[in-house]
Amino acid sequence: MPSPRLLVLFGSQTGTAEDVSERLGRGARRRRLACRVQALDSYPVVNLINEPLVIFVCATTGQGDPPDNMKNFWRFIFRKHLPSTSLCQMDFAVVGLGDSSYAKFNFVAKKLHRRLLQLGGTALLPVCLGDEQHELGPDAAVDPWLHDLWEKVLGLHPLPLGLSVIPPGVPLPSKFTMQFLAESPRTCSEEQRVARTDPQNPPSELQPFLAPVVTNQRVTGPSHFQDVRLIEFDIAGSGISFAAGDVVLIPPQNAASHVQQFCQVLGLDPEQCFTLQPREPDVPCPTQLPQPCSVRHLVSQYLDIVSVPRRSFFELLACLSPSELERDKLLELSSAAGQEELSQYCTRPRRTVLEVLCDFPCTAAAIPPDYLLDLIPPIRPRAFSIASSLLAHPSRLQILVAVVQYQTRLREPRRGLCSSWLASLHPGQGPVQVPLWIRPGGLTFPETADTPVIMVGPGTGVAPFRAAIQERVAQSQAGNFLFFGCRWRDQDFYWEAEWKELEKRGCLTLITAFSREQKQKVYVQHRLRELGPLVWELLDRRGAYFYLAGRRAGSPALTPLPTLPGSSGHCVSRLRHGPEEPSCRLQPL
């Protein structure tokens, strides 16, 4: 009797759930189980009734929200009319990945586990609750859970007679094969792919719009510790429309110096072209890669060579290493017992894939190109709050970008891939284009003209509120209250002149907090406390909406806000979303 196919479905926002899913897929293949690994929204959910064995790997984002690539599945699986015996043929298990510092820790995984039971599924194990806050990360919970899972699966579906588990040191076949071309094609298909524009459909990840960069201006003072850029794109003719609260997604590119170094370390010719073929018929080629594709395009625009490698990277690298000395070290770093050392070597100092490959030169030089897509994750697009309104700036889109740079114990400073790439673009030196597309945000504003809006935007968190204020002013909506906080009035007071002009016109009430301009630091929550009666009057009597945006952690300005005088025991608190997605709530104490 043939072993059943294992299906691994994941919902991933940052790549961690996808990485765990791929690990599950490799574990299944080592146990001679046929296995498919898919994002939840790419799987036809109506087929679940025919699946005998499914593992769900789900991250939780924000305050208990599902990741973007499982939202359609989420809506379907919670339909009220689904019969309670829908999944009675299915054995399942759920892995949750979350952060215990959030109120709704692993909410998505817990809720999905309960729902699958309601629909008749049989749980192989209790839900696994991986925690990003653990000193060893989610693996602290995932490792023992996987051990129990494989015991359970092999008990139900034993290995075929005469076959054993493929040992960890033996590399599994790569997902894809690269067929290198003897001559490079005359017309570069990667240029053709991104240049196509279909006015019938708005730009998307599969077909982004190449937006010319109009301006790239530093908006912090020259002596300020952080470089913050206001970048404007020309979106004329793109078919793009957006509203306040929406976000723009931008796929960044690796620096040319890093691409060159990567190709040198691996012995690759960046100008060589190849075609990609999947080894299994149900595995699609990455849609972001053209066919044929150059090595330079693969490395510069697809492989995330400056990401911090995960444990699975070291596992595969050890399998491919011809050097006994390097292989032993890689095996140690990929073992359960070596996770503290891996954290010290890689995770805490934020050592990159490229830097690790340079530390293991014999292994790097021996990596077969076929394994590059198994080894290195793809570059993920970054989301930025849109900082302008089409009503104020037709055919333009603006973003406020803080260029990420910080020091660890490594000699080279750590730099954010996307922010550094964007900051390096100089439209004055020639035409510069950036691929982008729009995603609806979770921030919506009241449509009624007389409903006040209170916006709290410390630092670059003010970006989406500029779009909202421009939009509301253009529509003659009054009652705009902005609490803005930064360090210094003359260094990082973004859009000062614009706010003051709106104040003069009576379109905006601006309250500022400059934390470093006096001996006692003053943040936006201090201003909220000082104006507590006004804020509560707006919320309680006039039905105001309250919004708060900013960094997710690490800023004193974004600690839970104080009880407002006269608020009858209520406080305003933030929802902990990413820096691009502002949110708000009124929370009873």
Side-chain angles (χ1 to χ4, degrees):
M1 180 178 176
S3 294
R5 289 176 65 91
L6 171 64
L7 176 63
V8 180
L9 297 174
F10 65 86
S12 185
Q13 195 73 19
T14 63
T16 305
E18 184 174 358
D19 185 71
V20 171
S21 300
E22 294 292 350
R23 182 180 174 189
L24 274 159
R26 291 190 297 272
R29 287 187 281 273
R30 291 192 180 280
R31 290 159 180 82
R32 315 288 180 169
L33 284 166
C35 182
R36 289 168 293 158
V37 178
Q38 285 185 244
L40 276 155
D41 277 357
S42 71
Y43 175 79
V45 65
V46 293
N47 292 349
L48 269 183
I49 59 174
N50 301 317
E51 300 288 354
L53 188 58
V54 187
I55 312 298
F56 297 86
V57 185
C58 306
T60 296
T61 68
Q63 288 295 295
D65 301 318
D68 290 336
N69 64 357
M70 68 173 287
K71 286 184 175 177
N72 293 334
F73 166 84
W74 194 249
R75 284 189 289 268
F76 181 91
I77 204 71
F78 284 97
R79 288 183 178 178
K80 293 181 179 180
H81 71 270
L82 295 179
S84 60
T85 57
S86 299
L87 303 179
C88 61
Q89 302 297 321
M90 186 178 78
D91 292 330
F92 75 91
V94 178
V95 180
L97 298 171
D99 186 324
S100 59
S101 68
Y102 284 57
K104 293 191 175 181
F105 172 56
N106 268 314
F107 178 79
V108 170
K110 294 172 184 175
K111 189 171 182 179
L112 177 60
H113 185 88
R114 291 194 298 269
R115 182 57 173 161
L116 295 172
L117 290 173
Q118 290 172 358
L119 295 176
T122 301
L124 297 175
L125 291 171
V127 61
C128 173
L129 302 178
D131 186 5
E132 200 64 48
Q133 287 296 314
H134 194 281
E135 60 181 352
L136 299 181
D139 283 349
V142 172
D143 281 356
W145 188 89
L146 284 180
H147 179 270
D148 294 343
L149 174 73
W150 295 128
E151 279 193 353
K152 196 84 171 180
V153 169
L154 289 179
L156 295 171
H157 310 288
L159 288 163
L161 288 174
L163 294 177
S164 59
V165 174
I166 301 171
V170 177
L172 295 168
S174 63
K175 277 189 178 180
F176 304 97
T177 60
M178 286 185 182
Q179 303 295 327
F180 286 97
L181 306 179
E183 294 183 4
S184 297
R186 290 184 180 180
T187 304
C188 186
S189 59
E190 56 230 40
E191 293 176 359
Q192 292 177 342
R193 180 188 72 92
V194 295
R196 290 197 303 267
T197 306
D198 184 356
Q200 301 287 327
N201 299 309
S204 64
E205 183 170 8
L206 296 182
Q207 196 172 77
F209 176 70
L210 282 178
V213 179
V214 180
T215 58
N216 185 348
Q217 174 191 3
R218 175 167 175 150
V219 291
T220 44
S223 62
H224 192 59
F225 78 100
Q226 187 166 44
D227 181 358
V228 178
R229 301 298 181 100
L230 176 62
I231 302 176
E232 182 174 67
F233 303 99
D234 182 355
I235 57 170
S238 66
I240 286 176
S241 64
F242 56 84
D246 288 348
V247 297
V248 59
L249 288 101
I250 298 174
Q253 297 180 18
N254 289 308
S257 59
H258 289 153
V259 173
Q260 181 180 2
Q261 186 181 13
F262 180 87
C263 290
Q264 287 176 346
V265 170
L266 272 71
L268 298 170
D269 177 3
E271 305 308 324
Q272 194 165 14
C273 289
F274 63 89
T275 59
L276 204 62
Q277 297 292 330
R279 289 190 185 272
E280 297 181 12
D282 57 354
V283 176
C285 288
T287 53
Q288 301 95 322
L289 289 179
Q291 294 274 33
C293 179
S294 69
V295 171
R296 184 182 302 280
H297 181 90
L298 172 72
V299 180
S300 65
Q301 298 187 43
Y302 186 78
L303 298 179
D304 198 350
I305 60 175
V306 294
S307 61
V308 178
R310 305 178 193 271
R311 179 178 169 186
S312 57
F313 172 87
F314 293 90
E315 289 175 353
L316 179 53
L317 210 55
C319 291
L320 302 174
S321 178
S323 164
E324 183 177 355
L325 183 64
E326 291 185 5
R327 183 171 60 252
D328 287 346
K329 187 62 179 176
L330 290 165
L331 286 170
E332 183 182 347
L333 291 170
S334 63
S335 68
Q339 291 311 287
E340 177 57 34
E341 185 176 357
L342 177 61
S343 180
Q344 290 280 2
Y345 167 69
C346 198
T347 311
R348 290 174 189 164
R350 313 303 291 171
R351 197 182 302 269
T352 67
V353 165
L354 178 56
E355 289 169 328
V356 171
L357 292 173
C358 291
D359 284 350
F360 294 86
C362 295
T363 303
I367 295 172
D370 288 354
Y371 281 96
L372 286 177
L373 274 71
D374 297 83
L375 193 64
I376 303 171
I379 294 173
R380 293 181 175 272
R382 272 53 166 184
F384 295 91
S385 291
I386 298 173
S388 60
S389 169
L390 288 171
L391 299 179
H393 301 277
S395 301
R396 292 289 190 266
L397 186 154
Q398 298 178 354
I399 57 174
L400 191 65
V401 180
V403 182
V404 177
Q405 180 173 322
Y406 58 95
Q407 197 73 48
T408 67
R409 62 179 175 82
L410 301 179
R411 184 180 63 182
E412 276 293 310
R414 306 294 91 184
R415 294 180 173 88
L417 174 59
C418 192
S419 61
S420 298
W421 175 66
L422 288 171
S424 73
L425 304 177
H426 301 293
Q429 299 176 3
V432 178
Q433 294 178 314
V434 170
L436 54 81
W437 64 96
I438 303 299
R439 185 183 74 201
L443 183 67
T444 56
F445 287 85
E447 296 180 2
T448 51
D450 59 345
T451 302
V453 169
I454 306 167
M455 295 160 281
V456 183
T460 55
V462 76
F465 299 142
R466 180 178 182 246
I469 291 168
Q470 287 183 351
E471 195 169 278
R472 288 173 59 81
V473 168
Q475 295 170 340
S476 301
Q477 291 179 302
N480 302 306
F481 294 81
L482 175 64
F483 287 79
F484 174 73
C486 64
R487 293 193 175 201
W488 304 94
R489 183 188 301 270
D490 62 346
Q491 294 293 320
D492 54 339
F493 190 177
Y494 311 126
W495 299 302
E496 177 183 7
E498 184 174 326
W499 302 139
K500 291 189 173 180
E501 174 61 27
L502 290 173
E503 267 197 306
K504 286 180 183 177
R505 291 164 50 191
C507 300
L508 175 69
T509 300
L510 176 67
I511 302 96
T512 55
F514 304 108
S515 63
R516 302 302 197 273
E517 292 199 347
Q518 56 283 312
K519 186 176 180 180
Q520 186 73 27
K521 292 179 182 177
V522 176
Y523 298 110
V524 286
Q525 66 261 39
H526 297 118
R527 299 300 188 214
L528 282 163
R529 182 183 289 114
E530 291 167 8
L531 296 173
L534 169 64
V535 173
W536 189 247
E537 168 72 18
L538 292 168
L539 290 168
D540 189 44
R541 306 284 182 180
R542 297 178 57 189
Y545 282 50
F546 188 99
Y547 303 87
L548 175 57
R551 289 179 57 198
R552 182 169 57 183
S555 170
L558 293 178
T559 51
L561 298 170
T563 300
L564 301 174
S567 65
S568 303
H570 285 73
C571 76
V572 178
S573 177
R574 68 191 181 96
L575 287 181
R576 302 182 61 176
H577 282 225
E580 310 87 11
E581 296 193 43
S583 54
C584 68
R585 68 175 173 185
L586 188 63
Q587 174 187 334
L589 286 173

